[in-house]
Amino acid sequence: MLKEATRESYGKALAEFAEQYDLYVLDADLSEATKTKIFAEKYPERFIECGIAEANMMTVAAGMAACGKTVFASSFAMFAAGRAFEQVRNSIGYPHLNVKIGATHAGLSVGEDGATHQCNEDIALMRTIPGMVILNPADPVEARLAVKAAAEYYGPVYLRFGRMPVEQILPDDYKFEIGKGVVLRDGKDVAIVATGLMVAQALEAAEILAQQGINAAVINISSIKPLDKQLILDYAIKCGAIVTTEEHSVIGGLGSAVCEAVSESAPCPVVRHGVNDEFGRSAAALKVLEHYKVNAAGIVEKALEAVALKK
Amino acid sequence: MNDIQKNELKVIALKIRNDIIEQVHSAKSGHPGGSLSIADIITYLYFREMNIDPKNPKAPDRDRFVLSKGHTCPALYAALAEKGYFPTELLKTFRKLDSILQGHPDMKHIPGVDMSSGSLGQGISAACGMALAAKLDNKDYRVYSILGDGEIEEGQVWEAFMFASHYKLSNLCAIIDRNGLQIDGKCSEVMSSEPLEDKMRAFGFNVVVIDAHNFDEIESGFNKARAEKEKPTVIIANSVKGKGVSFMENIVSWHGTAPSDEQYEAALSELREVK
């Protein structure tokens, strides 16, 4: 099985699909880290270095898209969604231009660089932009498929990738579709709705819960927007309790999206697991994740809370 | 440009000034001052300079225009209407619910608008992206973008200027409408960007300074931009905010205020008397 950071899969996928989808890639002096360098080395004439100027980069991407180009603009999540939020909102989102935002180094698993670079707010920010698609792949297989799907789709897409190498958890022939969630493990006692690198942790948590006699379902929601509302409602009714898990703030991300969907149509207890309302800190990625309990053990704790809330 | 052609442009510019007042008065909101200051330049762009066809607003090889100072769209909307992109009657719907003529330019709904703009500092970056796209495709189309002299206080503008120069976007012509005023007062007092000519030269631009209300100088400015094959060009256009309506000229408060009914009548009658 493959083990690589989803940013690596992103860079490789850009190079793989460059000609098929006539892609152009922009970066802001981080191509070494975002892995768009893999694309740049193969297709230097399609790669536009924008320097350390993310606001300009996002809007240049919009201008290129307005002239018919399919553009991937890359930086760390902190700068892509954070610093350039208003450019993404007004120059990409509002005119609904065909720009894909390739955001790497999302979440706590950035590790040593610490809080200034650990973006736990990007999903929340992007979710508020009308018409923005948000894809947060779980593993290398899905990361590649998400890039392909984004290239095929017309309109703005925010893609979220991680820095830390992760194991392949999905089969080689995995089917990826924007707006679709996938049940990776069925269960009836509680549904763990997971996204990004927490999907692997959710599967592990389900194993631990099984040993305690709790039969947990695991649903991969890589398409946070549009959200597979029907699948989530089905499991809200079937399991009667939900735990959401994400490497992102518990405010505004997948947890909020699931609460919004469930509370309006099939209310049941939803416990949100992720980064609490606080900043991250420096250490090796796994140490940071452990410190904040953004791991399988943290999910188990929250799952038990959710089960206890069932009446 | 001979005298007949010049006079034709003057007539159109007057019509555009008239349309600006009509729109802002009808909406009871909007930005007359900075719209009037760009009226002559936008007239020249749409009626003499740009390779565009109102019957085919999405032609792939057309020249592009981005109004980076998007709040002055009454000037743009007037030019588009007079050029035939949409009926002039539509101008009365400016800033009204259900109108395509939003408070700031919306490329998704207005024929002839190449980029949505209005959040200051972004239009020039989009224009850079368009100019780069033309170069990547070996196309000849040119890209024009008007910025305000207050707008250039936005840091993103200088990111865009660096980019334009780095990528030798000689097909890009930025126009800075130097009317000297912004919302809180004189640009020189709010946040001075002078000496602008020196800054633009230092950023690698071909710099041309013109009188924004003199068609001979406007023509010569755009011809110099066309002749430049290495660098992007900036035309620094010295203008009068509120130009053409005496009581609006050089008055800060006319940045974003609509005229009352009496002021509206006074403005129109003043514009009628111009010959």
Side-chain angles (χ1 to χ4, degrees):
Chain A
M1 294 292 251
L2 198 59
K3 182 176 184 179
E4 70 179 15
T6 50
R7 60 174 164 147
E8 185 91 27
S9 326
Y10 168 57
K12 287 180 182 171
L14 288 175
E16 179 186 348
F17 298 120
E19 289 176 66
Q20 188 180 347
Y21 298 108
D22 198 13
L23 306 180
Y24 286 80
V25 175
L26 275 56
D27 208 308
D29 194 40
L30 287 170
S31 67
E32 189 86 45
T34 63
K35 301 298 174 187
T36 59
K37 195 177 182 180
I38 299 167
F39 175 95
E41 280 170 350
K42 199 167 167 195
Y43 298 100
E45 72 289 351
R46 290 169 174 275
F47 178 78
I48 314 299
E49 174 61 75
C50 294
I52 310 170
E54 297 80 8
N56 182 59
M57 175 179 73
M58 289 301 173
T59 324
V60 164
M64 291 175 72
C67 289
K69 302 247 169 278
T70 303
V71 189
F72 278 73
S74 280
S75 184
F76 291 176
M78 192 74 251
F79 315 125
R83 178 181 295 240
F85 171 78
E86 202 252 1
Q87 283 73 17
V88 172
R89 192 247 186 215
N90 274 324
S91 288
I92 297 171
Y94 179 48
H96 202 73
L97 287 166
N98 198 24
V99 176
K100 321 299 170 186
I101 300 149
T104 68
H105 294 62
L108 293 175
S109 61
V110 163
E112 291 85 346
D113 275 355
T116 53
H117 287 59
Q118 292 163 342
C119 188
N120 299 318
E121 302 85 7
D122 54 328
I123 297 174
L125 286 165
M126 291 296 116
R127 231 161 56 79
T128 59
I129 300 176
M132 179 65 73
V133 168
I134 304 171
L135 305 178
N136 185 27
D139 79 343
V141 169
E142 195 170 42
R144 173 180 171 273
L145 294 173
V147 172
K148 186 172 191 287
E152 279 171 0
Y153 169 87
Y154 183 91
V157 179
Y158 181 82
L159 295 123
R160 189 179 208 246
F161 303 106
R163 171 176 183 267
M164 183 178 79
V166 291
E167 302 278 355
Q168 177 183 343
I169 54 165
L170 301 171
D172 291 334
D173 62 350
Y174 188 75
K175 296 268 180 295
F176 177 87
E177 201 183 323
I178 292 174
K180 286 282 176 209
V182 174
V183 179
L184 298 181
R185 174 186 176 125
D186 213 349
K188 60 177 179 45
D189 298 331
V190 60
I192 308 175
V193 178
T195 189
L197 66 77
M198 297 315 290
V199 175
Q201 299 299 307
L203 289 167
E204 207 179 309
E207 282 297 321
I208 299 168
L209 288 164
Q211 287 159 22
Q212 301 177 28
I214 293 166
N215 189 356
V218 175
I219 300 169
N220 175 19
I221 296 291
S222 42
S223 175
I224 293 173
K225 190 179 177 185
L227 185 70
D228 193 341
K229 204 170 156 181
Q230 194 52 55
L231 183 68
I232 288 165
L233 295 181
D234 289 348
Y235 273 79
I237 292 161
K238 181 176 176 179
C239 298
I242 291 176
V243 182
T244 60
T245 179
E246 60 201 304
E247 193 203 4
H248 180 275
S249 170
V250 291
I251 299 170
L254 174 70
S256 296
V258 168
C259 285
E260 289 155 19
V262 169
S263 66
E264 285 171 359
S265 305
C268 78
V270 179
V271 178
R272 292 162 302 140
H273 172 254
V275 183
N276 292 321
D277 191 17
E278 58 187 322
F279 292 106
R281 63 180 69 189
S282 289
L286 287 173
K287 275 221 178 337
V288 179
L289 292 169
E290 194 189 342
H291 176 84
Y292 289 93
K293 291 191 181 172
V294 179
N295 55 15
I299 299 171
V300 169
E301 239 174 69
K302 296 291 182 186
L304 294 174
E305 279 177 34
V307 171
L309 285 168
K310 282 169 79 170
K311 281 283 172 292
Chain B
M1 180 169 52
N2 60 37
D3 284 351
I4 297 169
Q5 292 166 324
K6 207 192 305 180
N7 277 326
E8 280 171 4
L9 290 179
K10 284 181 182 171
V11 170
I12 297 166
L14 204 56
K15 188 83 181 67
I16 284 176
R17 287 197 159 88
N18 194 86
D19 291 343
I20 289 168
I21 299 299
E22 291 280 5
Q23 287 173 84
V24 176
H25 177 254
S26 150
K28 297 189 173 61
S29 81
H31 300 82
S35 301
L36 291 166
S37 67
I38 63 168
D40 300 305
I41 283 175
I42 220 153
T43 298
Y44 188 87
L45 279 169
Y46 275 85
F47 291 87
R48 190 153 178 89
E49 174 70 10
M50 289 199 295
N51 173 28
I52 46 169
D53 175 8
K55 288 187 204 70
N56 195 3
K58 300 255 184 224
D61 293 345
R62 73 191 186 280
D63 286 345
R64 264 72 169 180
F65 175 74
V66 182
L67 185 61
S68 202
K69 47 175 282 185
H71 57 283
T72 59
C73 55
L76 173 61
Y77 296 168
L80 291 172
E82 297 298 339
K83 188 80 183 172
Y85 282 89
F86 50 81
T88 49
E89 296 83 74
L90 219 54
L91 294 174
K92 292 189 192 75
T93 67
F94 174 55
R95 288 189 166 227
K96 297 200 171 88
L97 206 65
D98 296 333
S99 173
I100 60 166
L101 302 180
Q102 292 290 296
H104 292 82
D106 172 8
M107 68 180 287
K108 283 199 63 168
H109 298 104
I110 310 175
V113 169
D114 295 318
M115 182 67 204
S116 301
S117 62
S119 176
L120 295 180
Q122 296 185 29
I124 184 63
S125 295
C128 286
M130 292 172 172
L132 182 72
K135 294 249 178 196
L136 289 168
D137 291 342
N138 292 312
K139 301 265 193 178
D140 291 332
Y141 65 81
R142 296 179 58 75
V143 183
Y144 299 86
S145 182
I146 301 183
L147 302 98
D149 56 349
E151 177 183 11
I152 61 173
E153 289 158 20
E154 288 283 2
Q156 179 173 354
V157 167
W158 301 92
E159 293 182 2
F161 288 160
M162 264 190 286
F163 184 94
S165 166
H166 183 83
Y167 284 105
K168 301 186 168 56
L169 301 179
S170 55
N171 53 347
L172 174 74
C173 180
I175 300 113
I176 298 178
D177 177 38
R178 185 158 64 181
N179 61 36
L181 300 180
Q182 57 187 116
I183 297 177
D184 277 357
K186 291 180 183 171
C187 298
S188 60
E189 289 168 4
V190 175
M191 186 53 63
S192 176
S193 52
E194 299 295 339
L196 190 52
E197 287 87 335
D198 292 347
K199 281 182 180 146
M200 294 312 299
R201 265 183 219 108
F203 271 71
F205 273 66
N206 170 38
V207 181
V208 182
V209 182
I210 62 163
D211 173 346
H213 308 302
N214 177 317
F215 280 111
D216 290 322
E217 291 200 23
I218 295 172
E219 178 180 52
S220 140
F222 283 114
N223 286 346
K224 283 177 186 161
R226 264 179 197 284
E228 173 62 54
K229 301 296 176 200
E230 292 293 318
K231 303 171 180 174
T233 291
V234 61
I235 295 178
I236 300 176
N238 290 320
S239 67
V240 173
K241 201 161 182 173
K243 176 74 179 178
V245 178
S246 61
F247 60 88
M248 290 186 179
E249 288 185 1
N250 286 315
I251 307 289
V252 169
S253 60
W254 285 106
H255 171 86
T257 314
S260 66
D261 290 348
E262 294 97 69
Q263 288 166 329
Y264 162 76
E265 290 300 340
L268 291 193
S269 71
E270 221 183 273
L271 290 169
R272 266 194 300 270
E273 281 162 22
V274 180
K275 270 285 163 274

